[in-house]
């Protein structure tokens, strides 16, 4: 989608759809709205009244203009009460307008800047939110479908006061980057596991770094993993015909800095459960079990342009979890990179085995913060449902920073406790640890297991099992399929450096 700012007249500019946002229970019409209404001889307001359109959040009113103004149609978006309008409601409203445009087969959409005039919001953030909402709403994954001709939609901002022009342009730029990283993550996750196996993730990392002086990629193959003592990754990979890899991406900002953040992603390209085989119905979405790594790759794909002022390490252990005569068995003991031994009681709790190594590897980079993203437990979905990420952390300050980044981008997270009393549940009779807890609190015992591998470094664990992959349409910009969840939270967090 082509997005730009137009210095044109609101009522004469030719386009297929002009979008205006209105607040609920607002006495005065905005100047833009009043101008369009006047050009339409008051019909906009009178038809809205006739249809009992109140501007409730998410509501829409569509009208043809019959040549009275440059736009062929007008779409009025209900933004809800002015005092409750947030960046997220702007994102959602913009996505709704693009959904309407898509449905009508429209080619050009023009919109005023939503949210201007609200004291708590600035034009940069509003423009950014609109671009995110628009780009994410227009996404579809068509690689495996019969090709059809879909002409792209043009999206223009109009009626931006010249004082705000530069801010809106800046917002558009950031919004494009946020969306671009998210859409790459969606593509990687949506790609079937037959075409997205460990080696392909390595290829992605290399492609992202190519030509960018700020990103370096190191790849460790089976032999290197044996030398490093990465028993967790090697154990999970044993059942698969695809060899495993540990990928280490390093972003160094142009200005040297001592600040260092490590991002660790779960990268199980397909999780069959292994010998502890999943029931068929639970396996259908397991190509998405690399969504954590996809989020890390999404972040790295735009990191050069977002240009945070800290060093960022992206780390993932790419593996496939399959049953076979070579596969690890329940009862086997693996030795992780930090020398802790793990009794594998359930081969389906494989994510934490790979993370044991990748978190251990992250610790060696001596970062001040580690954030991992992992589709780790079904239990987290039982606790928080399909739309909320479980956040666990050994550090309140970092937990607060990540939560507030998530809040600004509209990704929902909720903190869960790392209850020390439950530590006993992951202790084993025959090894230092076991990879499953008891029947209850599965998200927490998984978090406690991971904590064993981060030493004392401030760390946040994001269990994205629910939100990474939508099994149904969630909202106007999160449709069925991969969501790219986590990319925008991490980018917003890194931007604060
Ligand atoms: N990849 C799954 C977790 C998952 C489930 C992600 C549903 C997304 C949707 C993970 O490897 C797993 O299988 N976890 C087990 C752990 C159990 C065996 C302790 C689970 O949650 O059932
Ligand atoms: Zn599993
Ligand atoms: Zn898994």
């Amino acid at each position: 989608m082509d997005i730009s700012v137009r210095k044109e007249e609101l009522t004469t500019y030719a386009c297929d759809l002009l979008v205006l946002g209105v607040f609920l229970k607002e006495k005065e019409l905005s100047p833009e709205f009043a101008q369009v209404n006047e050009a339409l001889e008051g019909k906009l307001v009178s038809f809205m009244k006739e249809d009992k359109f109140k501007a409730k959040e998410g509501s829409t009113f569509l009208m043809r203009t019959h040549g009275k103004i440059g736009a062929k149609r007008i779409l009025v978006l209900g933004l809800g009460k002015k005092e409750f309008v947030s960046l997220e409601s702007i994102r959602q409203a913009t996505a709704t307008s693009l959904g309407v445009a898509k449905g009508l087969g429209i080619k050009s959409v023009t919109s005023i800047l939503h949210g201007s005039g609200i004291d708590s919001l600035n034009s940069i953030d509003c423009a950014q939110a609109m671009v995110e909402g628009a780009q994410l709403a227009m996404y579809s994954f068509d690689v495996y479908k019969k090709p059809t001709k879909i002409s792209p939609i043009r999206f223009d901002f109009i009626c931006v006061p010249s004082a705000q022009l530069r801010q809106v342009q800046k917002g558009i730029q950031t919004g494009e980057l946020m969306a671009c990283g998210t859409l790459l993550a969606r593509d990687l996750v949506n790609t079937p596991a037959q075409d997205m196996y460990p080696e392909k993730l390595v290829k992605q990392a290399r492609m992202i770094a190519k030509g960018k002086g700020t990103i370096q990629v190191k790849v460790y193959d089976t032999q290197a993993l044996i030398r490093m003592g990465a028993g967790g990754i090697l154990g999970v990979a044993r059942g698969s015909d695809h060899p495993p890899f540990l990928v280490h991406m390093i972003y160094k900002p142009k200005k040297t800095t001592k600040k260092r953040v490590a991002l660790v992603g779960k990268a199980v390209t397909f999780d069959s459960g292994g010998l502890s085989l999943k029931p068929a119905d639970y396996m259908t979405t397991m190509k998405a079990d690399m969504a954590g790594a996809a989020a890390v790759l999404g972040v790295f794909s735009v990191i050069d342009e977002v240009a945070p002022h800290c060093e960022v390490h992206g780390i993932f252990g790419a593996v496939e979890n399959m049953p076979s005569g070579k596969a690890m068995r329940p009862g086997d003991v693996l030795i992780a990179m930090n020398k802790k031994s793990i009794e594998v009681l359930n081969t389906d709790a494989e994510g934490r085995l790979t993370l044991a190594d990748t978190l251990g590897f992250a610790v060696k980079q001596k970062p001040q913060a580690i954030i991992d993203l992992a589709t780790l437990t079904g239990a987290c979905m039982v606790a928080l449902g399909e739309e909320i990420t479980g956040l666990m952390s050994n550090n309140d300050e970092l937990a607060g920073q990540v939560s507030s980044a998530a809040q600004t981008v509209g990704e929902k997270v909720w903190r869960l406790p790392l209850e020390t009393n439950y530590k006993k549940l992951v202790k084993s009779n025959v090894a230092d640890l076991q990879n499953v807890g008891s029947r209850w609190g599965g998200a927490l015992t998984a978090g406690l297991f991971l904590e064993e591998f981060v030493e004392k470094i401030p760390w946040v664990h994001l269990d994205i099992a629910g939100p990474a992959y939508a099994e149904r349409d969630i909202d106007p910009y999160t449709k069925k399929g991969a969501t790219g969840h986590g990319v925008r939270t991490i980018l917003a967090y890194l931007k604060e450096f």
Side-chain angles (χ1 to χ4, degrees), residues 266 268 271-274 276 278 286 289 321 346-351 375-376:
K266 174 172 171 180
V268 177
D271 182 11
S272 69
S276 314
K278 283 183 185 294
M286 281 303 130
D289 214 18
N321 188 23
N346 189 317
T347 64
D348 195 14
E350 83 299 335
T375 45
L376 204 62

Side-chain angles (χ1 to χ4, degrees), residues 59-108:
S59 61
T60 54
F61 174 82
L62 185 67
M63 171 184 159
R64 281 185 177 275
T65 62
H66 301 286
K68 292 255 176 357
I69 64 169
K72 287 195 187 123
R73 290 181 176 93
I74 299 227
L75 178 70
V76 182
L77 287 177
L79 297 173
K81 274 195 172 175
K82 193 173 180 177
E83 57 266 41
F84 297 134
V85 171
S86 63
L87 291 175
E88 180 57 8
S89 52
I90 290 174
R91 232 174 253 122
Q92 295 291 348
T94 312
T96 300
S97 62
L98 267 299
V100 170
K102 207 172 170 181
L104 292 169
I106 270 168
K107 308 235 172 348
S108 58

Side-chain angles (χ1 to χ4, degrees), residues 22-62:
V22 292
F23 303 120
L24 180 67
K25 290 192 177 150
E26 198 65 7
K27 298 250 153 41
E28 264 188 40
L29 299 177
S30 72
E32 296 92 349
F33 192 91
Q35 194 188 342
V36 173
N37 187 47
E38 197 177 309
L40 293 170
E41 294 147 1
K43 289 208 169 62
L44 181 54
V45 168
S46 64
F47 286 162
M48 274 164 62
K49 273 197 184 138
E50 219 170 272
D51 274 14
K52 297 192 173 59
F53 178 78
K54 296 271 187 320
K56 270 198 213 150
E57 192 178 340
S59 61
T60 54
F61 174 82
L62 185 67

Side-chain angles (χ1 to χ4, degrees), residues 231-442:
I233 295 174
L234 289 164
V236 176
R238 250 160 45 191
S240 170
D241 287 344
H242 290 291
F245 295 93
L246 189 151
V247 177
H248 181 196
M249 304 177 82
I250 306 155
Y251 160 81
K252 284 193 179 152
K254 296 211 168 83
K255 245 181 154 177
T256 47
T257 168
K258 289 207 169 78
K259 286 187 192 141
R260 196 173 300 144
V261 175
L263 306 174
V264 178
K266 174 172 171 180
V268 177
T269 58
F270 186 73
D271 182 11
S272 69
L275 288 179
S276 314
L277 196 66
K278 283 183 185 294
D281 285 351
Y282 288 67
M283 226 189 273
T284 52
T285 58
M286 281 303 130
K287 65 175 181 181
D289 214 18
M290 35 60 81
V296 174
L297 287 164
V299 167
F300 267 80
S301 70
V302 294
I303 204 165
D304 191 47
E305 288 167 277
V306 173
H309 305 297
C310 62
E311 203 173 291
V312 186
H313 292 249
I315 299 157
F316 57 85
V319 284
E320 188 183 46
N321 188 23
M322 296 293 264
S324 87
K326 291 196 193 107
M328 61 179 178
R329 315 156 189 84
D332 281 357
V333 174
L334 307 175
I335 315 285
M337 209 184 277
N338 72 349
K339 304 284 187 291
K340 285 192 184 176
S341 59
I342 308 162
E343 184 187 11
V344 180
L345 289 178
N346 189 317
T347 64
D348 195 14
E350 83 299 335
R352 66 197 77 181
L353 301 173
T354 68
L355 289 166
D357 287 335
T358 43
L359 288 171
F361 185 87
V363 167
K364 289 187 186 166
Q365 314 309 315
K366 299 193 170 50
Q368 287 96 32
I370 300 177
I371 304 172
D372 80 68
L373 302 106
T375 45
L376 204 62
T377 66
C380 195
M381 296 176 73
V382 173
L384 300 175
E386 293 170 295
E387 298 180 34
I388 305 174
T389 285
L391 181 153
M392 280 152 262
S393 179
N394 59 1
N395 184 287
D396 290 346
E397 193 188 350
L398 184 63
Q401 288 164 345
V402 175
S403 300
S404 94
Q407 161 87 26
T408 45
V409 305
E411 292 185 332
K412 297 177 188 93
V413 304
W414 193 255
R415 192 166 177 185
L416 301 172
L418 285 171
E419 171 55 52
T420 35
N421 246 6
Y422 292 167
K423 275 220 181 246
K424 56 181 179 281
L425 299 173
V426 290
K427 299 280 184 238
S428 157
N429 255 348
V430 300
D432 299 326
L433 295 163
Q434 61 183 39
N435 77 333
V436 290
S438 73
R439 187 163 161 205
W440 312 111

